[in-house]
Amino acid sequence: MTVEIDETHDPKRRSIVDAANRPDAEFPIQNLPLGVFSTADDPAPRIGIAIGDQVFDLGKASAGSDRFGEATRAALQAPVLNPLFSLGRKALRELRHIATEMLDERTSGSLVQQHASELLVPLEHCALHLPTKVSNYTDFYAGIYHARAAGALLTPENPLPANYKWVPIAYHGRASSVQVGQGMVRRPLGQRPPAAAGEPPGFGPCERLDFELEMGFYLARGNRLGSPIRIGEAAEQIAGFSLLNDWSARDIQRWEMYPLGPFLSKSFATSVAPWIVTTDALAPFRVPALPRPEGDPRPLDYLSDEMDQTCGGLDVHLQVLLSTETMRRSNEPAVEILTSNARYLYWTPAQMIAHHTINGCNLQSGDLIGTGTISGPSPAELSSMLEFTNGGSKPVVLPNGEQRGFLQDGDEITFRGRCHRSGFVSIGFGSCVGRILPSNSSSAAER
Amino acid sequence: MTVEIDETHDPKRRSIVDAANRPDAEFPIQNLPLGVFSTADDPAPRIGIAIGDQVFDLGKASAGSDRFGEATRAALQAPVLNPLFSLGRKALRELRHIATEMLDERTSGSLVQQHASELLVPLEHCALHLPTKVSNYTDFYAGIYHARAAGALLTPENPLPANYKWVPIAYHGRASSVQVGQGMVRRPLGQRPPAAAGEPPGFGPCERLDFELEMGFYLARGNRLGSPIRIGEAAEQIAGFSLLNDWSARDIQRWEMYPLGPFLSKSFATSVAPWIVTTDALAPFRVPALPRPEGDPRPLDYLSDEMDQTCGGLDVHLQVLLSTETMRRSNEPAVEILTSNARYLYWTPAQMIAHHTINGCNLQSGDLIGTGTISGPSPAELSSMLEFTNGGSKPVVLPNGEQRGFLQDGDEITFRGRCHRSGFVSIGFGSCVGRILPSNSSSAAER
């Protein structure tokens, strides 16, 4: 892998959009995350870049400009990012350089300034859509602190599987129910574990509804069936990163998952943040892979790459906020319930890609891969309700006195992510939000 | 569910295509399976119906005919069946009636006869393609004889899971590597189980490569996220059925699958037969669901439907043939190694759909669902090498003296399926074929 820090990361660079220059801006000119948006006036979904409190309409900007190469210009007319990602990382880097120049305050009399009213749309007026057509969604299990903590609760007989330090464990997720994290999530119905062995299972709305704090990443070009992606080439296949909430129904999961893994306990919804922070924007925030403790095995050759060990990790501060219906009614702000960091992954994204394709499996442009829940080593960094409340037995107590073991109807979960490094401008991931709707229990009663 | 036997099933009906009228024809006029084909002269993939030894070009036939409704005509111009399936079962039934009339020998001077050279293409000149764009692929585990036999070998500590008779167990499969069963399957590389606990895993080409004999079915309209499909409406959501080979790497599977299920052991390839036999064509071959033995629990309400118990099963005789490189070199025909029947499923397709959506998960037009391996109660009906050879310990002995515990490079596996019922014309499923290519071991050595 290569990590290039270049003039697009220059901290002195400022944008023509004022809000992008504030120290707390999530979307300064050094970020330029990609997404898909529409407006009431123009309801056709199109590709944009978040800049300060605005969205830069890349579809429109590129249609009227010869700065973009022909293939990029064509890809930017699509209503999803897949065609752009399929052009590969080089095209994304070129696009980043062009957009940086177009949005830089030193580019006086620029196209964007001339046509600001058309090309810059206030973020608050935008509807944000799923950024890619997700043809395939895979979820890994690379957070070792999560695997240990959740394993102790879900499968106490075997908390950390024997294969864990050899195999980047993953399962295929449901692509159709991946949604942009800006909306509602309906509590699922399903079978719940029997009260005792030999008893019939329960049935009804999930009683242990949970979130899982993850990062997601999107494939650039992908590979042909039968042609694995080598570890040294894997990072070049990642177009960008995003926040991902792997909503989980713990009671349904506990009962259904043996022996073929989680199914309905996950497939009711997976939320991703609307903005994809490109791999290039993240270059300053690469860190070494999580050190393997003394005694842990060296990864097999197909998972080993020196550069990946040196800078295959990501330093992203992650935050989970909760807001209840009661809190919103009394205008209380959402409260932070836990924090974590993307650096706590036992396997790097490049290792995940090398493993995913070693059998010849073909990854496709715009495919979504989740890292697995990113818990950290401290109790304040356990990144699901299951872990954080010890299976619901130690509820979170909120400032207004409410308690939560698992999520109740009306609860809203927000993920945020932020990168900081001395000498660089801090960048953010936007937010991934979901509010719990009651289950369709009327139809349940009819069943 | 409704099962309609109508004039399209009339056994006295004969086709203008002679080969369709032979008693052993797989594709008589009573069948009319849908697929996607192209020819050297016209390489654009288009929708067709198999009839005798010909393919009826539905794309061309409908473009020039006002017999088809507007929506159907538009859908028949697509290079995949998803738009047609999204019109629902009623449109498929109408299409069946129109095609029956167009291909009936009593329809003298018909459009098809006038333009036979354009509208009927010899099957042997056709390339057959994946019939739908598979956006989502789910694989069930509904063959109880398989679950018992494979469970005893893969997880001897727990052969039939405690949830088996309550939960139609399934996992999400890999959509990108679903391919039409007319080609090659490359032996996957991967991690193999350690020789002993605590030892490092092995790495290299899979040494226990296997097939799994399944049926697949394709979704018609599907459902919106959050709106389950009720069991009584589920059969109406199945456009048609096909043969499916869930290729499996047993050594990779054994090591990777705990706790999140099979992943790389399956995602290198899944093959489907090119022809989709519509639910309407199968009406005469419906049978009661597999009787539940005394003492087995009654399914929960959301999985219970009287009509489904009466006629939700399918009587399809299934056959697995093996041909080795040595056999082909001496012109020996493929040999039948086992047979089974689709009626041996513990859960019906309608129960699978009702379960899949009970949590609100959205199924989409053209989605593929596998039933799971369909083994039968007798040793000759164990429908994978794993089961049939008792984990490789009792190899199959072929007529030429060759032996097989698992599949070797050059082995070709063919699935066939056939429905018979007294008073009706027998119909077939075509074949689902795959030949094993050696792994990319040169690149393995470099790793």
Side-chain angles (χ1 to χ4, degrees):
Chain A
M1 69 184 289
T2 53
V3 174
E4 272 178 52
I5 294 177
D6 60 25
E7 67 274 16
T8 63
H9 301 101
D10 180 355
K12 290 199 280 304
R13 198 183 284 274
R14 293 167 60 86
S15 171
I16 51 172
V17 176
D18 285 339
N21 302 321
R22 291 200 206 112
D24 62 345
E26 286 208 278
F27 308 129
I29 192 168
Q30 291 79 5
N31 192 348
L32 306 181
L34 294 160
V36 172
F37 76 104
S38 65
T39 52
D41 291 349
D42 186 352
R46 52 205 189 272
I47 295 172
I49 282 178
I51 177 80
D53 55 359
Q54 307 286 313
V55 176
F56 174 42
D57 189 328
L58 264 179
K60 281 191 189 147
S62 62
S65 165
D66 55 7
R67 295 202 214 180
F68 300 84
E70 203 182 312
T72 298
R73 207 162 54 213
L76 288 174
Q77 304 314 307
V80 285
L81 287 161
N82 306 58
L84 179 66
F85 288 178
S86 76
L87 300 177
R89 284 283 305 284
K90 183 156 172 284
L92 287 172
R93 276 190 286 270
E94 283 167 8
L95 175 60
R96 175 175 170 84
H97 281 272
I98 296 166
T100 299
E101 202 187 316
M102 290 177 97
L103 294 168
D104 190 302
E105 68 170 7
R106 287 168 300 189
T107 314
S108 63
S110 77
L111 178 91
V112 183
Q113 278 175 314
Q114 285 170 40
H115 302 275
S117 64
E118 280 169 63
L119 299 183
L120 291 171
V121 186
L123 197 38
E124 61 183 358
H125 296 167
C126 294
L128 301 173
H129 305 278
L130 198 57
T132 72
K133 158 89 180 88
V134 176
S135 292
N136 304 275
Y137 161 47
T138 302
D139 201 18
F140 276 82
Y141 193 52
I144 190 167
Y145 299 107
H146 164 70
R148 276 215 193 86
L153 290 157
L154 278 175
T155 52
E157 62 281 10
N158 199 2
L160 195 69
N163 56 5
Y164 193 87
K165 292 177 176 179
W166 297 101
V167 179
I169 297 172
Y171 66 99
H172 301 297
R174 179 78 191 177
S176 70
S177 54
V178 174
Q179 61 182 60
V180 72
Q182 299 281 292
M184 303 296 179
V185 171
R186 192 168 292 283
R187 181 181 298 274
L189 294 170
Q191 293 190 30
R192 299 182 300 235
E199 297 279 300
F203 179 81
C206 165
E207 292 174 348
R208 292 162 74 89
L209 188 57
D210 203 354
F211 61 82
E212 288 194 341
L213 173 61
E214 304 193 11
M215 301 283 297
F217 54 95
Y218 291 86
L219 263 286
R221 276 206 168 116
N223 61 310
R224 275 176 308 115
L225 187 66
S227 298
I229 297 171
R230 292 168 197 220
I231 176 89
E233 293 153 10
E236 207 43 35
Q237 288 289 347
I238 301 174
F241 290 80
S242 160
L243 303 169
L244 185 149
N245 187 339
D246 176 27
W247 301 98
S248 298
R250 299 300 179 192
D251 38 6
I252 296 172
Q253 184 178 359
R254 176 79 173 126
W255 174 232
E256 76 170 358
M257 80 181 282
Y258 185 83
L260 300 186
F263 180 53
L264 299 187
S265 52
K266 304 279 190 172
S267 63
F268 58 98
T270 302
S271 299
V272 287
W275 298 108
I276 300 177
V277 177
T278 63
T279 304
D280 297 304
L282 289 165
F285 311 103
R286 305 307 299 223
V287 289
L290 192 72
R292 296 197 149 208
E294 186 90 3
D296 276 15
R298 185 179 171 280
L300 295 183
D301 284 355
Y302 79 97
L303 298 172
S304 294
D305 180 73
E306 207 174 315
M307 270 299 281
D308 185 49
Q309 287 304 299
T310 309
C311 54
L314 265 180
D315 183 6
V316 186
H317 176 76
L318 300 167
Q319 188 189 26
V320 178
L321 302 139
L322 170 63
S323 144
T324 69
E325 215 165 276
T326 307
M327 287 165 66
R328 289 192 301 276
R329 234 183 276 124
S330 40
N331 287 317
E332 290 167 57
V335 291
E336 176 186 293
I337 56 170
L338 64 89
T339 63
S340 187
N341 193 298
R343 63 197 309 162
Y344 297 138
L345 291 167
Y346 194 78
W347 300 101
T348 66
Q351 287 174 319
M352 296 180 208
I353 287 179
H355 183 67
H356 203 322
T357 61
I358 186 63
N359 70 341
C361 181
N362 53 330
L363 305 184
Q364 299 178 314
S365 287
D367 277 2
L368 174 64
I369 297 183
T371 58
T373 310
I374 310 175
S375 293
S378 84
E381 295 169 312
L382 293 169
S383 297
S384 65
M385 296 294 278
L386 176 77
E387 299 158 75
F388 198 70
T389 69
N390 192 43
S393 69
K394 293 178 185 162
V396 183
V397 181
L398 303 175
N400 70 357
E402 286 186 281
Q403 299 197 354
R404 288 292 183 274
F406 288 95
L407 299 176
Q408 294 190 6
D409 293 343
D411 286 357
E412 183 174 280
I413 290 291
T414 300
F415 291 175
R416 305 189 75 86
R418 189 95 200 190
C419 295
H420 300 278
R421 181 175 156 196
S422 170
F424 290 89
V425 173
S426 165
I427 65 175
F429 282 76
S431 53
C432 180
V433 186
R435 188 182 296 182
I436 308 303
L437 290 176
S439 73
N440 282 317
S441 44
S442 57
S443 40
E446 287 164 39
R447 273 158 213 288
Chain B
M1 68 182 290
T2 53
V3 174
E4 274 178 50
I5 295 176
D6 60 25
E7 68 275 16
T8 64
H9 301 101
D10 180 354
K12 292 197 280 302
R13 198 184 282 275
R14 292 168 60 86
S15 171
I16 51 173
V17 176
D18 285 339
N21 303 322
R22 293 198 205 114
D24 63 343
E26 286 207 276
F27 307 129
I29 192 167
Q30 290 80 5
N31 191 348
L32 307 182
L34 294 160
V36 172
F37 76 104
S38 65
T39 52
D41 292 348
D42 186 350
R46 52 205 189 273
I47 295 171
I49 282 178
I51 177 81
D53 55 359
Q54 306 286 313
V55 175
F56 174 41
D57 189 329
L58 264 180
K60 281 191 188 147
S62 62
S65 165
D66 54 7
R67 296 202 214 180
F68 300 83
E70 203 182 312
T72 298
R73 206 162 55 213
L76 287 175
Q77 303 314 307
V80 285
L81 286 162
N82 305 58
L84 179 65
F85 288 178
S86 75
L87 300 178
R89 285 281 307 282
K90 184 156 171 283
L92 287 171
R93 276 190 286 270
E94 282 168 8
L95 175 61
R96 175 175 170 83
H97 281 272
I98 296 166
T100 298
E101 202 188 316
M102 290 177 97
L103 294 168
D104 191 301
E105 67 170 7
R106 288 168 298 190
T107 314
S108 64
S110 77
L111 178 91
V112 184
Q113 278 176 316
Q114 287 171 37
H115 302 275
S117 64
E118 279 169 64
L119 299 184
L120 291 171
V121 187
L123 197 38
E124 61 183 359
H125 296 168
C126 294
L128 300 173
H129 305 279
L130 197 57
T132 72
K133 159 88 181 89
V134 176
S135 292
N136 304 276
Y137 161 47
T138 302
D139 200 17
F140 276 82
Y141 193 53
I144 190 167
Y145 299 106
H146 165 71
R148 275 216 193 85
L153 290 157
L154 278 175
T155 51
E157 62 281 12
N158 198 2
L160 195 69
N163 54 6
Y164 193 87
K165 293 178 176 179
W166 296 101
V167 178
I169 297 173
Y171 66 99
H172 301 297
R174 178 78 191 178
S176 70
S177 53
V178 174
Q179 59 182 60
V180 71
Q182 298 281 293
M184 304 295 178
V185 171
R186 193 168 291 283
R187 180 181 299 273
L189 295 170
Q191 293 191 30
R192 299 182 301 234
E199 296 280 300
F203 179 81
C206 165
E207 292 174 347
R208 292 161 74 89
L209 188 57
D210 203 353
F211 60 84
E212 289 194 340
L213 173 62
E214 304 193 12
M215 301 284 297
F217 54 94
Y218 292 86
L219 263 287
R221 276 206 169 116
N223 61 310
R224 275 176 307 115
L225 186 67
S227 298
I229 297 171
R230 292 170 196 217
I231 177 88
E233 293 153 9
E236 203 50 29
Q237 287 290 346
I238 302 174
F241 290 81
S242 160
L243 304 168
L244 185 151
N245 187 339
D246 176 27
W247 301 99
S248 298
R250 299 300 178 191
D251 38 5
I252 297 172
Q253 185 179 358
R254 176 78 172 126
W255 175 232
E256 75 172 357
M257 80 180 281
Y258 185 83
L260 299 186
F263 180 53
L264 300 187
S265 52
K266 305 279 191 172
S267 63
F268 59 98
T270 302
S271 299
V272 287
W275 298 108
I276 300 177
V277 177
T278 63
T279 304
D280 297 305
L282 289 165
F285 311 103
R286 305 308 300 222
V287 289
L290 192 71
R292 297 198 147 206
E294 187 89 5
D296 276 14
R298 185 178 172 279
L300 295 183
D301 285 355
Y302 78 97
L303 298 172
S304 294
D305 180 74
E306 208 174 315
M307 270 298 283
D308 186 50
Q309 286 305 298
T310 308
C311 54
L314 265 178
D315 183 7
V316 186
H317 176 76
L318 300 167
Q319 188 188 26
V320 178
L321 302 142
L322 169 64
S323 144
T324 70
E325 215 165 277
T326 306
M327 288 165 64
R328 289 192 301 276
R329 235 184 276 126
S330 40
N331 287 317
E332 291 166 57
V335 291
E336 176 186 292
I337 56 171
L338 64 89
T339 63
S340 189
N341 193 298
R343 62 197 309 162
Y344 297 138
L345 292 167
Y346 193 77
W347 300 101
T348 65
Q351 287 174 319
M352 296 180 207
I353 286 180
H355 183 67
H356 203 321
T357 60
I358 186 62
N359 70 340
C361 180
N362 53 331
L363 305 183
Q364 300 178 314
S365 286
D367 277 2
L368 174 64
I369 296 182
T371 58
T373 310
I374 310 175
S375 293
S378 85
E381 295 169 312
L382 293 168
S383 299
S384 65
M385 297 294 278
L386 176 77
E387 299 158 75
F388 197 71
T389 69
N390 193 41
S393 69
K394 293 178 186 162
V396 182
V397 181
L398 303 174
N400 70 357
E402 287 186 280
Q403 299 197 354
R404 288 291 184 275
F406 288 95
L407 299 176
Q408 294 191 7
D409 293 344
D411 286 358
E412 184 174 280
I413 290 291
T414 300
F415 291 175
R416 304 189 74 86
R418 189 94 199 190
C419 296
H420 300 279
R421 181 175 156 197
S422 170
F424 289 89
V425 173
S426 164
I427 65 175
F429 282 78
S431 53
C432 180
V433 186
R435 188 182 297 181
I436 308 302
L437 290 175
S439 74
N440 282 317
S441 45
S442 57
S443 40
E446 288 166 38
R447 273 159 215 285

